[in-house]
């Protein structure tokens, strides 16, 4: 403490002596330096780095301009690489957001944060298509074990059908929805619609709930299968409705109701179509008709035959 006090008093004494020798000098408030009148005093901050923040801002601005100039073209692989630049924590957070929809919690604003990705939707659709095809074949295998009269043959075409159906749904339906919302934006001024990639991302993550549901459909209990399917459809459709509602709520009631009803109806058609096609009810085994000759007892006399005699 004594050394610090002496140092402070020594600086004050030196400054007073300097003022006494040069009465025309003036002190600056930012730094304890004496500057003669007629000269410009430059204040130096406590860190001793003049203009460091301005240099950093200038370097960041230059780097940003260089990145904009070096942005890859639409036809290059680097352009699409940015859509797959997500980590595991981001993907898991977006999956949880699609599984737990709630009113007032916008999936785009709270989870995407203006950074839509195609990594999650791509692998969710691929996994769902593969699981649909595998479980559809396993259903027939398990049914054959219970009833040997059922003939099973591998149905590899189901992989193609599932892949084409799911990927077309995830791309074409968001495209039509995005185009309709863009058109309604010009008709009625309101909150701007989501981008096309954001709409695709929302639809892709909304299908994740069907992956465990399809596995549970292996349980050979029809009412339990429909219960799991209805629960998955409710969660998935609610995620879409809660996400689209902030966009369409300022439109007319008729347009908003028709649009949201169409979204839910298409989602239900996808779920029900997959249920009937990949888990179709097995045909009942037709029992062999009893042979009339084998059913007759040998002890009984043969039935009398009537002969017509003409006289």
């Amino acid at each position: 403490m004594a050394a610090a006090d002496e140092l402070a008093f020594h600086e004050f004494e030196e400054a007073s002596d300097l003022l006494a020798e040069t009465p025309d000098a003036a002190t600056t408030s930012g730094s304890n330096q004496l500057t003669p009148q007629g000269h410009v005093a430059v204040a130096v901050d406590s860190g001793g780095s003049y203009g460091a923040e301005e240099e950093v801002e200038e370097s960041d601005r230059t780097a940003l301009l260089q990145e904009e100039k070096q942005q890859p073209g639409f036809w290059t692989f680097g352009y699409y690489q940015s859509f797959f630049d997500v980590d595991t924590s981001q993907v898991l957070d977006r999956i949880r957001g699609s599984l737990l929809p709630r009113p007032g919690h916008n999936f785009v604003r709270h989870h995407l944060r203006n950074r839509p990705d195609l990594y999650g939707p791509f692998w969710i659709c691929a996994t769902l298509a593969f699981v649909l095809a595998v479980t559809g074949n396993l259903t027939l295998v398990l049914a054959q074990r219970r009833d040997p009269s059922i003939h099973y043959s591998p149905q590899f075409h189901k992989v193609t059908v599932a892949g084409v159906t799911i990927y077309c749904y995830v791309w074409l339906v968001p495209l039509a929805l995005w185009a309709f919302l863009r058109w309604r934006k010009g008709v009625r001024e309101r909150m701007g619609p989501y981008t096309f990639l954001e709409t695709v991302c929302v639809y892709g993550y909304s299908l994740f709930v069907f992956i465990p549901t399809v596995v549970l459909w292996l349980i050979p209990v029809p009412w339990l299968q429909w219960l799991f399917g209805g629960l998955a459809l409710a969660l998935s459709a609610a995620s879409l409705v809660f996400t689209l509602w902030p966009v369409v709520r300022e439109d007319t009631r008729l347009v908003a109701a028709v649009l949201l009803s169409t979204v839910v109806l298409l989602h239900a058609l996808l779920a029900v179509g997959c249920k009937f096609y990949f888990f179709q009810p097995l045909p009942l085994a037709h029992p062999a008709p009893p042979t009339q000759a084998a059913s007759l007892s040998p002890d009984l006399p043969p039935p009398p035959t009537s002969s017509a005699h003409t006289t």
Side-chain angles (χ1 to χ4, degrees), residues 70-88:
Q70 297 177 358
Q71 186 177 5
F74 179 78
W75 57 89
T76 60
F77 180 77
Y79 177 82
Y80 300 96
Q81 188 176 3
S82 61
F83 300 132
F84 294 85
D85 188 16
V86 288
D87 54 15
T88 305

Side-chain angles (χ1 to χ4, degrees), residues 212-231:
T213 304
V214 168
V215 177
L216 293 175
W217 278 350
L218 288 173
I219 303 176
V221 181
W223 68 268
L224 198 58
Q225 292 178 352
W226 286 109
L227 178 63
F228 290 144
L231 181 61

Side-chain angles (χ1 to χ4, degrees), residues 139-191:
T139 302
L140 295 177
V141 173
L142 296 177
Q144 186 182 20
R145 288 189 175 184
R146 295 191 303 268
D147 188 0
S149 63
I150 298 176
H151 177 69
Y152 166 74
S153 60
Q155 300 177 352
F156 296 105
H157 66 279
K158 288 186 175 181
V159 180
T160 305
V161 173
V164 171
T165 303
I166 293 173
Y167 277 104
C168 287
Y169 177 79
V170 172
W171 283 94
L172 296 181
V173 174
L175 178 61
L177 179 62
W178 172 77
F180 179 79
L181 292 177
R182 293 285 297 180
W183 172 69
R184 291 300 299 176
K185 179 183 178 181
V187 175
R188 189 179 181 89
E189 291 295 333
R190 55 185 174 78
M191 175 182 174

Side-chain angles (χ1 to χ4, degrees), residues 30 32 38 40 58 83 86 110 122 150 227 236-237 257 273 300 302 307:
N32 297 325
V40 178
E58 185 66 25
F83 300 132
V86 288
H110 292 83
F122 175 81
I150 298 176
L227 178 63
S236 185
L300 297 176
S307 57

Side-chain angles (χ1 to χ4, degrees), residues 25-160:
T27 58
T28 59
S29 60
S31 59
N32 297 325
Q33 296 179 356
L34 296 175
T35 310
Q37 290 182 354
H39 296 275
V40 178
V42 178
V44 181
D45 58 356
S46 60
S49 57
Y50 167 68
E53 295 182 357
E54 295 181 359
E55 293 179 0
V56 171
E57 292 179 358
E58 185 66 25
S59 61
D60 291 343
R61 191 180 298 109
T62 305
L64 183 60
L65 291 176
Q66 291 178 355
E67 290 180 358
E68 291 180 355
K69 291 180 180 179
Q70 297 177 358
Q71 186 177 5
F74 179 78
W75 57 89
T76 60
F77 180 77
Y79 177 82
Y80 300 96
Q81 188 176 3
S82 61
F83 300 132
F84 294 85
D85 188 16
V86 288
D87 54 15
T88 305
S89 61
Q90 290 176 338
V91 174
L92 293 178
D93 178 69
R94 295 172 182 184
I95 290 175
R96 285 192 297 267
S98 65
L99 291 176
L100 301 173
R102 57 182 184 271
H105 191 79
N106 194 330
F107 181 81
V108 175
R109 299 292 180 251
H110 292 83
H111 298 281
L112 297 187
R113 297 184 180 92
N114 297 326
R115 289 192 59 187
D117 70 287
L118 295 180
Y119 179 86
F122 175 81
W123 285 112
I124 288 174
C125 294
T127 305
L128 180 58
F130 180 76
V131 172
L132 270 174
V134 171
T135 51
N137 281 270
L138 283 177
T139 302
L140 295 177
V141 173
L142 296 177
Q144 186 182 20
R145 288 189 175 184
R146 295 191 303 268
D147 188 0
S149 63
I150 298 176
H151 177 69
Y152 166 74
S153 60
Q155 300 177 352
F156 296 105
H157 66 279
K158 288 186 175 181
V159 180
T160 305

